[in-house]
Amino acid sequence: MKDTMPDSQMSLFEYNKPTIVVWFSCGAASAVAAKKTIERYGDTHIIRVVNNPIKEEHPDNQRFLKDVEKWLGLPIEFAINSKFPDQSCVTVWAKRKYMSGVAGAPCTFELKKKARQEWEASNKHDFLVLGFTSEERHRFDRFKLSERDNILPVLIDAGISKGECFSILEEAGIELPEIYKLGYPNANCIGCVKSTSVTYWNHVRKVHPDIFKERAIQSREIGCRLIQSKGKRIFLDELDPNAKGKKMKNMHVECGIFCGL
Protein backbone atom coordinates (compact mmCIF):
# COMPACT_ATOMS: atom_id res chain seq x y z
CA MET A 1 0.00 0.00 0.00
CA LYS A 2 2.87 2.33 0.82
CA ASP A 3 4.25 2.00 -2.72
CA THR A 4 0.96 3.10 -4.31
CA MET A 5 0.35 6.19 -2.18
CA PRO A 6 0.31 9.56 -3.97
CA ASP A 7 3.36 11.71 -3.18
CA SER A 8 1.33 14.11 -1.06
CA GLN A 9 -0.07 11.30 1.08
CA MET A 10 3.33 9.60 1.25
CA SER A 11 4.81 12.80 2.67
CA LEU A 12 2.08 13.03 5.31
CA PHE A 13 2.46 9.33 6.11
CA GLU A 14 6.20 9.73 6.64
CA TYR A 15 5.76 12.88 8.73
CA ASN A 16 3.31 11.13 11.02
CA LYS A 17 5.87 8.49 11.90
CA PRO A 18 7.52 9.07 15.28
CA THR A 19 10.99 10.56 15.02
CA ILE A 20 14.12 9.26 16.75
CA VAL A 21 17.10 11.61 17.01
CA VAL A 22 20.50 9.97 17.46
CA TRP A 23 23.08 12.34 18.91
CA PHE A 24 26.39 11.43 17.27
CA SER A 25 29.53 12.61 19.08
CA CYS A 26 32.15 11.36 16.58
CA GLY A 27 32.85 8.50 18.97
CA ALA A 28 32.67 4.78 18.30
CA ALA A 29 29.70 4.14 20.61
CA SER A 30 27.41 6.79 19.16
CA ALA A 31 28.28 5.65 15.63
CA VAL A 32 27.21 2.09 16.39
CA ALA A 33 24.17 3.37 18.31
CA ALA A 34 23.06 5.18 15.14
CA LYS A 35 23.53 2.05 13.03
CA LYS A 36 21.61 -0.17 15.47
CA THR A 37 18.83 2.42 15.75
CA ILE A 38 18.38 2.39 11.97
CA GLU A 39 18.38 -1.42 11.90
CA ARG A 40 15.86 -1.71 14.72
CA TYR A 41 13.54 1.22 14.10
CA GLY A 42 14.16 2.30 10.50
CA ASP A 43 10.97 0.76 9.10
CA THR A 44 8.68 2.28 11.72
CA HIS A 45 10.33 5.59 12.61
CA ILE A 46 12.01 8.57 11.00
CA ILE A 47 15.67 8.48 12.05
CA ARG A 48 17.76 11.65 12.19
CA VAL A 49 21.42 11.70 13.18
CA VAL A 50 22.74 14.98 14.59
CA ASN A 51 26.22 16.12 15.60
CA ASN A 52 27.53 19.06 17.65
CA PRO A 53 30.73 20.12 15.86
CA ILE A 54 33.40 21.37 18.29
CA LYS A 55 36.47 23.32 17.19
CA GLU A 56 38.82 21.69 19.72
CA GLU A 57 38.17 18.12 18.60
CA HIS A 58 40.82 16.32 16.56
CA PRO A 59 40.39 17.22 12.85
CA ASP A 60 40.21 13.52 11.94
CA ASN A 61 36.84 13.39 13.71
CA GLN A 62 35.30 14.98 10.62
CA ARG A 63 36.80 12.28 8.38
CA PHE A 64 35.28 9.70 10.69
CA LEU A 65 31.93 11.52 10.53
CA LYS A 66 31.91 11.31 6.72
CA ASP A 67 32.78 7.60 6.80
CA VAL A 68 30.00 6.92 9.30
CA GLU A 69 27.56 8.97 7.23
CA LYS A 70 28.20 6.69 4.23
CA TRP A 71 27.86 3.59 6.41
CA LEU A 72 24.53 4.75 7.82
CA GLY A 73 23.11 5.84 4.49
CA LEU A 74 21.72 8.98 6.14
CA PRO A 75 22.98 12.56 6.20
CA ILE A 76 24.45 13.67 9.52
CA GLU A 77 23.05 17.04 10.51
CA PHE A 78 24.64 19.70 12.72
CA ALA A 79 23.29 21.49 15.79
CA ILE A 80 25.06 24.68 16.86
CA ASN A 81 24.36 27.12 19.69
CA SER A 82 23.67 30.40 17.87
CA LYS A 83 25.36 32.30 20.72
CA PHE A 84 28.67 30.54 19.97
CA PRO A 85 28.86 30.26 16.17
CA ASP A 86 32.61 29.50 16.26
CA GLN A 87 31.78 26.29 18.19
CA SER A 88 34.85 26.82 20.37
CA CYS A 89 35.32 25.65 23.95
CA VAL A 90 38.06 28.26 24.40
CA THR A 91 35.56 31.00 23.57
CA VAL A 92 33.06 29.61 26.06
CA TRP A 93 35.64 29.43 28.87
CA ALA A 94 36.80 32.98 28.18
CA LYS A 95 33.25 34.37 28.14
CA ARG A 96 32.06 32.42 31.17
CA LYS A 97 35.32 32.85 33.14
CA TYR A 98 34.93 29.23 34.14
CA MET A 99 36.39 26.01 32.77
CA SER A 100 35.34 23.09 34.96
CA GLY A 101 34.44 22.28 38.55
CA VAL A 102 31.52 21.40 40.79
CA ALA A 103 29.16 23.21 38.40
CA GLY A 104 30.26 20.99 35.51
CA ALA A 105 31.86 22.20 32.28
CA PRO A 106 30.32 25.21 30.50
CA CYS A 107 31.62 24.02 27.13
CA THR A 108 29.45 20.90 27.29
CA PHE A 109 26.48 22.93 28.51
CA GLU A 110 26.74 25.63 25.83
CA LEU A 111 28.04 23.72 22.81
CA LYS A 112 26.19 20.45 23.27
CA LYS A 113 23.27 20.69 25.69
CA LYS A 114 22.11 24.20 24.71
CA ALA A 115 22.79 23.44 21.03
CA ARG A 116 20.67 20.31 21.36
CA GLN A 117 17.84 22.24 23.04
CA GLU A 118 17.96 24.94 20.35
CA TRP A 119 17.77 22.25 17.64
CA GLU A 120 14.91 20.45 19.38
CA ALA A 121 12.91 23.68 19.69
CA SER A 122 12.53 23.82 15.91
CA ASN A 123 12.63 20.15 14.90
CA LYS A 124 10.06 17.41 15.40
CA HIS A 125 11.33 14.65 17.71
CA ASP A 126 9.79 11.96 19.87
CA PHE A 127 12.73 9.91 21.15
CA LEU A 128 16.48 10.30 21.43
CA VAL A 129 19.41 7.91 21.44
CA LEU A 130 22.86 8.43 22.98
CA GLY A 131 25.88 6.15 22.86
CA PHE A 132 25.44 4.61 26.31
CA THR A 133 27.02 1.14 26.12
CA SER A 134 26.16 -2.01 28.07
CA GLU A 135 28.57 -1.13 30.90
CA GLU A 136 27.02 2.34 31.27
CA ARG A 137 23.55 1.45 32.53
CA HIS A 138 24.13 3.75 35.53
CA ARG A 139 24.80 6.73 33.26
CA PHE A 140 21.73 5.93 31.18
CA ASP A 141 19.56 5.67 34.31
CA ARG A 142 20.95 8.97 35.61
CA PHE A 143 20.21 10.72 32.33
CA LYS A 144 16.69 9.29 32.19
CA LEU A 145 16.00 10.38 35.77
CA SER A 146 17.51 13.87 35.63
CA GLU A 147 17.16 14.91 31.98
CA ARG A 148 14.74 13.08 29.70
CA ASP A 149 12.64 9.93 30.01
CA ASN A 150 12.17 9.43 26.25
CA ILE A 151 15.68 8.08 25.72
CA LEU A 152 16.04 4.64 24.10
CA PRO A 153 18.76 2.27 25.45
CA VAL A 154 19.68 0.87 22.05
CA LEU A 155 23.19 -0.37 22.83
CA ILE A 156 22.26 -1.48 26.35
CA ASP A 157 19.32 -3.54 25.06
CA ALA A 158 21.61 -5.14 22.49
CA GLY A 159 24.26 -5.88 25.13
CA ILE A 160 26.95 -4.01 23.16
CA SER A 161 30.01 -2.83 25.07
CA LYS A 162 32.37 0.01 24.11
CA GLY A 163 35.00 -2.53 23.05
CA GLU A 164 32.47 -4.27 20.82
CA CYS A 165 31.67 -0.92 19.19
CA PHE A 166 35.31 -0.70 18.08
CA SER A 167 35.10 -4.21 16.63
CA ILE A 168 31.85 -3.50 14.77
CA LEU A 169 33.36 -0.44 13.11
CA GLU A 170 36.54 -2.28 12.19
CA GLU A 171 34.52 -5.12 10.65
CA ALA A 172 32.61 -2.50 8.63
CA GLY A 173 35.91 -1.18 7.29
CA ILE A 174 35.63 2.14 9.11
CA GLU A 175 38.91 3.42 10.50
CA LEU A 176 38.57 4.66 14.06
CA PRO A 177 39.20 8.35 14.78
CA GLU A 178 42.87 9.23 15.06
CA ILE A 179 42.31 10.41 18.63
CA TYR A 180 41.94 6.79 19.82
CA LYS A 181 45.19 5.80 18.12
CA LEU A 182 46.95 8.59 19.97
CA GLY A 183 46.11 6.88 23.25
CA TYR A 184 43.11 8.94 24.37
CA PRO A 185 40.18 7.08 25.99
CA ASN A 186 37.47 8.77 23.90
CA ALA A 187 36.89 11.14 20.99
CA ASN A 188 36.43 14.22 23.16
CA CYS A 189 38.22 17.50 22.61
CA ILE A 190 41.97 17.34 23.02
CA GLY A 191 42.69 18.69 26.49
CA CYS A 192 39.22 17.97 27.91
CA VAL A 193 38.79 20.11 31.02
CA LYS A 194 36.39 17.65 32.62
CA SER A 195 39.32 15.36 33.34
CA THR A 196 41.14 15.87 36.65
CA SER A 197 43.54 12.96 36.05
CA VAL A 198 47.29 13.49 36.28
CA THR A 199 47.70 10.57 33.83
CA TYR A 200 45.45 12.22 31.27
CA TRP A 201 47.05 15.64 31.48
CA ASN A 202 50.58 14.29 31.30
CA HIS A 203 49.48 12.39 28.21
CA VAL A 204 48.23 15.66 26.69
CA ARG A 205 51.55 17.29 27.63
CA LYS A 206 53.43 14.51 25.81
CA VAL A 207 51.27 14.11 22.69
CA HIS A 208 49.92 17.67 22.29
CA PRO A 209 52.33 19.97 24.14
CA ASP A 210 50.98 23.12 22.48
CA ILE A 211 47.44 22.37 23.66
CA PHE A 212 48.71 21.56 27.16
CA LYS A 213 50.43 24.97 27.22
CA GLU A 214 47.27 26.73 26.01
CA ARG A 215 45.15 25.07 28.69
CA ALA A 216 47.75 25.87 31.35
CA ILE A 217 47.80 29.56 30.40
CA GLN A 218 44.02 29.95 30.17
CA SER A 219 43.36 28.03 33.39
CA ARG A 220 45.80 30.35 35.20
CA GLU A 221 44.09 33.42 33.76
CA ILE A 222 40.69 32.14 34.87
CA GLY A 223 41.96 30.72 38.16
CA CYS A 224 40.84 27.16 37.50
CA ARG A 225 42.78 24.31 39.11
CA LEU A 226 41.98 21.47 36.72
CA ILE A 227 43.96 18.63 38.32
CA GLN A 228 43.25 16.57 41.42
CA SER A 229 46.59 15.45 42.85
CA LYS A 230 47.38 14.01 46.29
CA GLY A 231 44.08 15.19 47.73
CA LYS A 232 44.20 18.76 46.47
CA ARG A 233 43.48 20.73 43.30
CA ILE A 234 46.46 22.15 41.42
CA PHE A 235 47.09 24.18 38.27
CA LEU A 236 48.31 22.45 35.12
CA ASP A 237 51.67 24.20 35.30
CA GLU A 238 52.16 22.72 38.78
CA LEU A 239 51.81 19.15 37.54
CA ASP A 240 54.88 16.95 37.93
CA PRO A 241 55.71 15.65 34.41
CA ASN A 242 56.45 12.23 35.92
CA ALA A 243 53.27 11.96 37.99
CA LYS A 244 51.04 8.96 37.30
CA GLY A 245 47.49 8.06 38.28
CA LYS A 246 45.01 5.41 37.20
CA LYS A 247 45.13 4.11 33.66
CA MET A 248 43.21 6.20 31.16
CA LYS A 249 41.27 3.19 29.87
CA ASN A 250 39.57 3.10 33.29
CA MET A 251 38.53 6.74 33.13
CA HIS A 252 34.87 7.59 32.57
CA VAL A 253 35.06 11.05 31.05
CA GLU A 254 32.68 11.40 28.13
CA CYS A 255 31.47 14.51 26.42
CA GLY A 256 27.92 14.15 25.17
CA ILE A 257 24.81 16.23 25.59
CA PHE A 258 24.83 14.94 29.17
CA CYS A 259 27.96 16.10 31.00
CA GLY A 260 29.22 13.10 32.93
CA LEU A 261 31.73 14.15 35.55
Side-chain angles (χ1 to χ4, degrees):
M1 182 176 179
K2 181 178 178 181
D3 291 339
T4 60
M5 284 184 180
D7 290 343
S8 58
Q9 292 184 25
M10 178 73 77
S11 177
L12 180 62
F13 175 79
E14 292 292 335
Y15 183 80
N16 286 334
K17 284 184 178 180
T19 299
I20 299 174
V21 181
V22 183
W23 289 93
F24 171 65
S25 67
C26 284
S30 60
V32 175
K35 185 67 170 180
K36 295 303 177 182
T37 300
I38 293 168
E39 292 175 354
R40 182 172 178 179
Y41 297 103
D43 290 338
T44 56
H45 294 67
I46 296 171
I47 312 296
R48 299 179 70 178
V49 184
V50 187
N51 171 255
N52 302 119
I54 306 297
K55 184 177 180 179
E56 286 71 26
E57 290 182 351
H58 193 287
D60 188 58
N61 278 14
Q62 289 303 303
R63 186 276 310 163
F64 179 70
L65 182 147
K66 293 297 183 183
D67 289 349
V68 170
E69 190 173 51
K70 293 178 183 177
W71 183 48
L72 299 178
L74 288 178
I76 295 179
E77 307 170 50
F78 297 100
I80 298 170
N81 183 342
S82 58
K83 293 182 179 179
F84 293 95
D86 66 352
Q87 307 151 48
S88 172
C89 296
V90 172
T91 301
V92 173
W93 301 328
K95 184 173 183 178
R96 293 282 296 273
K97 305 298 181 184
Y98 190 85
M99 295 179 82
S100 183
V102 294
C107 45
T108 297
F109 179 78
E110 295 290 355
L111 303 181
K112 295 203 170 183
K113 185 174 181 178
K114 292 293 288 184
R116 183 254 298 178
Q117 292 173 340
E118 190 172 323
W119 186 92
E120 289 178 334
S122 57
N123 288 275
K124 177 181 181 292
H125 60 283
D126 299 285
F127 303 98
L128 76 157
V129 170
L130 300 179
F132 290 127
T133 55
S134 60
E135 62 268 65
E136 296 180 310
R137 166 65 75 171
H138 63 290
R139 295 187 67 221
F140 170 82
D141 290 340
R142 188 151 53 106
F143 182 92
K144 187 174 182 179
L145 180 65
S146 62
E147 284 258 351
R148 300 272 296 276
D149 63 1
N150 62 340
I151 181 171
L152 302 174
V154 173
L155 295 181
I156 294 172
D157 283 352
I160 297 175
S161 67
K162 186 169 185 177
E164 288 171 320
C165 289
F166 294 150
S167 298
I168 290 170
L169 288 170
E170 289 171 354
E171 290 173 4
I174 298 176
E175 186 177 355
L176 294 173
E178 183 69 20
I179 191 75
Y180 290 117
K181 298 178 183 180
L182 293 173
Y184 289 92
N186 46 54
N188 293 2
C189 300
I190 302 169
C192 175
V193 298
K194 288 192 288 296
S195 177
T196 61
S197 165
V198 297
T199 307
Y200 174 81
W201 282 109
N202 269 333
H203 185 75
V204 177
R205 191 202 312 251
K206 178 181 177 180
V207 180
H208 291 97
D210 291 345
I211 293 177
F212 181 89
K213 183 178 179 180
E214 290 173 10
R215 298 288 182 274
I217 292 172
Q218 188 170 23
S219 62
R220 272 288 185 181
E221 292 173 345
I222 292 174
C224 182
R225 293 174 170 84
L226 291 173
I227 296 176
Q228 182 76 24
S229 177
K230 298 180 180 179
K232 66 177 183 178
R233 300 290 291 233
I234 64 173
F235 287 106
L236 284 179
D237 56 21
E238 297 176 317
L239 174 62
D240 179 352
N242 298 312
K244 296 181 179 180
K246 65 181 180 179
K247 294 180 180 179
M248 284 198 295
K249 69 179 182 179
N250 294 325
M251 292 167 57
H252 295 285
V253 181
E254 296 288 348
C255 189
I257 60 173
F258 177 56
C259 182
L261 293 175

